[in-house]
Amino acid sequence: DQQVKQNSPSLSVQEGRISILNCDYTNSMFDYFLWYKKYPAEGPTFLISISSIKDKNEDGRFTVFLNKSAKHLSLHIVPSQPGDSAVYFCAAAGAGSYQLTFGKGTKLSVIP
Amino acid sequence: DADVTQTPRNRITKTGKRIMLECSQTKGHDRMYWYRQDPGLGLRLIYYSFDVKDINKGEISDGYSVSRQAQAKFSLSLESAIPNQTALYFCATRSGFETSDTQYFGPGTRLTVL
């Protein structure tokens, strides 16, 4: 059973507009959430994270929102740029956990 | 130079062959991981190691083995490759125990088993 779900395989957004990528989780033991970005022919790179004690974390154009009651998090990119075109993975971990559970990824295309 | 390197970057092999994928890191991290990525399935953990003497199975370890030759090197072996092991393989490292510690990924090895 998939514990971290990214239900949108792909998303297209116009340059300058907001990109919203969504992620749902089922395991209530998860308390730390991360977003990774992956370009073709490269490994995933860490983008932004949030602890369950917060509901928002911001880093420049990137903001992650966490709704624990709904077991839902989202990544907002504002404004979107063509260089943001990549696959975005949502990942989750429990307290003190040694491993991450990844979603299937969402491919974002930012159209100039 | 990259902090986490993987060799080879691409490999085509035949069913039944033994193959080794290698990972090296210069980050000085104790923790190393092997993942595979299949189209539409995200990343799944194969094995992980907390130090040279500590190796653990992940979610999908069947058909794989690993060796931690040194703190900086972690190899993944397919003893007898089969077509459904065709995938993109990633090595990753992590600095510490904290959940917030970031994992750093290598560039990946694309493996095709014919």
Side-chain angles (χ1 to χ4, degrees):
Chain A
D1 186 31
Q2 204 179 353
Q3 298 187 67
V4 178
K5 301 177 183 179
Q6 294 178 256
N7 292 320
S8 297
S10 62
L11 174 68
S12 291
V13 173
Q14 288 285 343
E15 180 179 5
R17 306 294 291 270
I18 184 172
S19 295
I20 300 176
L21 294 89
N22 293 304
C23 178
D24 297 292
Y25 63 96
T26 58
N27 189 339
S28 58
M29 300 302 291
F30 288 147
D31 69 350
Y32 196 77
F33 304 90
L34 308 90
W35 286 93
Y36 278 81
K37 176 179 180 180
K38 183 183 178 305
Y39 292 117
E42 295 183 11
T45 56
F46 170 75
L47 185 59
I48 192 169
S49 62
I50 187 167
S51 164
S52 60
I53 62 173
K54 296 184 176 181
D55 55 15
K56 177 183 176 181
N57 188 27
E58 193 170 358
D59 183 2
R61 297 186 296 113
F62 303 91
T63 303
V64 56
F65 295 91
L66 176 63
N67 182 333
K68 285 186 293 183
S69 61
K71 293 189 175 67
H72 176 83
L73 63 154
S74 60
L75 174 68
H76 293 211
I77 306 174
V78 183
S80 300
Q81 299 174 354
D84 296 330
S85 297
V87 177
Y88 289 79
F89 291 100
C90 172
S97 175
Y98 48 81
Q99 64 175 326
L100 299 176
T101 301
F102 285 85
K104 294 182 178 181
T106 297
K107 183 177 182 179
L108 173 66
S109 299
V110 180
I111 304 165
Chain B
D1 288 341
D3 295 319
V4 184
T5 58
Q6 293 183 234
T7 56
R9 293 294 313 275
N10 289 282
R11 180 72 183 266
I12 300 174
T13 191
K14 295 182 178 180
T15 298
K17 294 290 187 182
R18 184 179 189 275
I19 185 169
M20 179 181 287
L21 309 182
E22 299 188 356
C23 176
S24 295
Q25 53 115 346
T26 58
K27 298 188 77 66
H29 292 168
D30 287 328
R31 286 147 189 78
M32 298 187 74
Y33 303 77
W34 275 104
Y35 291 87
R36 70 178 273 177
Q37 182 192 3
D38 297 276
L41 287 182
L43 283 80
R44 293 182 292 166
L45 183 64
I46 306 172
Y47 269 95
Y48 61 100
S49 170
F50 285 167
D51 64 38
V52 175
K53 298 180 181 178
D54 185 358
I55 293 177
N56 304 276
K57 293 181 177 180
E59 179 186 354
I60 52 165
S61 59
D62 288 348
Y64 301 95
S65 62
V66 292
S67 173
R68 185 82 183 266
Q69 301 94 325
Q71 187 206 36
K73 295 184 181 296
F74 193 34
S75 300
L76 176 72
S77 293
L78 286 68
E79 298 302 325
S80 180
I82 56 176
N84 77 359
Q85 291 178 312
T86 293
L88 194 52
Y89 290 85
F90 290 103
C91 173
T93 72
R94 186 180 179 194
S95 60
F97 283 111
E98 298 299 325
T99 307
S100 58
D101 290 327
T102 302
Q103 288 193 18
Y104 297 88
F105 286 82
T109 294
R110 184 170 296 281
L111 176 66
T112 302
V113 183
L114 301 177

